Amino acid sequence: MTYRYKVALIFLIGFFIDCINIFISAVALPTLSAALHVSTSDVAWVANAYILGLTLIIPVSTWLAGRFGSREILTASMILFTASVWMCGLADSFNELVIWRFVQGMGGGLLIPVGQALTFNLFKGEQRAKISTLVMAVALIAPAISPTIGGIIVDSSSWRWVFYSNIPFSLIAALLSWFWINEARPTSLPRPDIKGLLLVSAALGSLLMGMSLYGGDAPAWVAALFVTAGVTFVLLYGLHYRRCKNPIIELSLLKSKKLSTSIFIYYAIPGVFTGVNLMSIFFLQNTLHFSARLTGMFMILYAIGAFIAMLICGRTYNRMGAKRLFALGMLLHSAGIATLLLVNDPSDLWVIVIAYSLMGIGGGIGANTAQTTSLMDFEGNDTHKASVIWNINRQMSFSIGAALFLMVFNLLLKHFDTTQAYHATFAIASLVGLFPLFQLSQLNTQKDCHAQRNS
């Protein structure tokens, strides 16, 4: 195996672990809610804490890799991940579980952007489309098997083994990182932007907390206070960015229409789906009384649809272009979400099959196209910086999607019965997923893209 494929394999294992932690824990949330005696809004922090920890460490991960070495950081990240996931399984209280999930996220957040930047710098030009296809293949396998495995674990054993099951993969990633990675450290490193990191962390944490509280049991003014604080921190980072020579997040890279549009798409498709899937899990288990195993198996349908989408994108990306594929993906994905409005009782299995299949095909087309398109404009150090932005976006889209639609559901529940509230939430989600259609005109045509490459 050549060196670049060794690096790619390490990154793909880390990416696989990340995807597992999003989907395998989601199917256990109704059981966790009952076992730890917490509300639906509160139990979402089992997922949110992981994503928040991962998101907050991403901006400084590239600097840490340059300071201590990619091999050392990648190995340490997986050791930290292994220790924290073990402690998650041992947790005796909800607060303890959330704290260790946050630490677990920090471990995972070190591997993904560093591994992605190393990989994408070794695969250039059209080869990036090939490695993006491998990334999406992993993104299909993990959602396909992890909810089903998680459902089997929850139904036959304990929710604790949902976390223990991660340990073999993280230990393999740690060993491979130590023995395979061989990257020279830069001769000089700029000082890390600690002030920018604190502002970004405060902004993300405040916005996520505000959405999680709004519509729940907390007073509305408390949620509004967190959201206001989050917006304020965003504005303060904007002022800080103008004065900082080496900002933690290089906002100028967002001038790339490929990157900015891909970011918007990721919120509208994988982000929206994360929220829809979370609500669907609670709907199917708590309202229709499906088992955790059966609920998890619907993700196999999603993965099959996404696999078909991956084949479509791999064969047609250079011919159709990102604009058409993005539009097709959004339309199919939103159509799948809208189909969930027809689910009223346990006998509507075929409706759920159609819904998850459509969401899988549309979601696969959109996510695969975004992954392929996002970093096309960058090389060298700019790839690292763009990777930081892309991975912050990717993780926050999952967390914001879950928090947003939990908030919407809790607000609707005050005015409708449970089934009607779920259906209205799905209807709103299907519309939200179409918003980026209005931004697609900013993307170059395929003819223009070829002209830029040849110039």
Side-chain angles (χ1 to χ4, degrees), residues 66 81 156 176 255 268 313 379 413 438:
F81 187 97
S156 61
L176 294 181
K255 294 178 182 178
C313 288
E379 291 184 1
L413 199 57
F438 302 104

Side-chain angles (χ1 to χ4, degrees), residues 204-222:
L204 297 179
S206 298
L207 290 171
L208 187 59
M209 179 66 77
M211 283 191 296
S212 297
L213 292 175
Y214 195 75
D217 297 329
W221 68 268
V222 176

Side-chain angles (χ1 to χ4, degrees), residues 157-382:
S157 181
S158 166
W159 60 264
R160 299 180 187 276
W161 282 95
V162 167
F163 299 104
Y164 293 147
S165 62
N166 289 274
I167 292 176
F169 300 105
S170 56
L171 288 178
I172 290 172
L175 290 171
L176 294 181
S177 297
W178 183 257
F179 289 107
W180 280 0
I181 297 295
N182 182 24
E183 291 292 321
R185 302 184 191 181
T187 55
S188 62
L189 283 172
R191 291 183 59 186
D193 178 19
I194 299 300
K195 183 178 180 180
L197 177 63
L198 293 175
L199 288 172
V200 170
S201 302
L204 297 179
S206 298
L207 290 171
L208 187 59
M209 179 66 77
M211 283 191 296
S212 297
L213 292 175
Y214 195 75
D217 297 329
W221 68 268
V222 176
L225 185 63
F226 275 102
V227 172
T228 302
V231 173
T232 302
F233 286 126
V234 170
L235 296 175
L236 288 174
Y237 180 79
L239 295 174
H240 166 75
Y241 171 78
R242 297 176 183 177
R243 299 190 298 265
C244 184
K245 294 181 179 179
N246 186 44
I248 195 74
I249 297 179
E250 184 53 70
L251 297 180
S252 65
L253 298 181
L254 293 175
K255 294 178 182 178
S256 164
K257 297 303 180 184
K258 292 184 178 69
L259 177 60
S260 59
T261 303
S262 296
I263 286 173
F264 202 12
I265 294 292
Y266 225 84
Y267 278 96
I269 297 183
V272 167
F273 174 74
T274 303
V276 168
N277 186 52
L278 178 62
M279 299 314 304
S280 178
I281 287 171
F282 279 99
F283 178 49
L284 296 179
Q285 290 190 37
N286 292 349
T287 302
L288 301 187
H289 306 295
F290 285 15
S291 67
R293 181 183 308 181
L294 178 58
T295 303
M297 289 182 69
F298 288 120
M299 280 301 298
I300 296 178
L301 300 170
Y302 179 92
I304 292 172
F307 177 75
I308 295 171
M310 183 182 70
L311 296 178
I312 293 172
C313 288
R315 292 176 179 272
T316 63
Y317 182 87
N318 291 325
R319 184 172 68 254
M320 291 183 64
K323 184 187 300 186
R324 293 178 180 176
L325 288 171
F326 277 146
L328 178 61
M330 281 185 283
L331 291 171
L332 290 174
H333 184 253
S334 286
I337 297 173
T339 304
L340 290 174
L341 273 67
L342 304 176
V343 179
N344 292 291
D345 57 64
S347 64
D348 294 328
L349 279 176
W350 278 107
V351 179
I352 304 173
V353 168
I354 293 171
Y356 270 84
S357 298
L358 284 173
M359 285 189 287
I361 296 173
I365 291 174
N368 188 77
T369 305
Q371 181 73 45
T372 302
T373 305
S374 59
L375 303 183
M376 274 192 168
D377 287 340
F378 309 107
E379 291 184 1
N381 191 46
D382 280 348

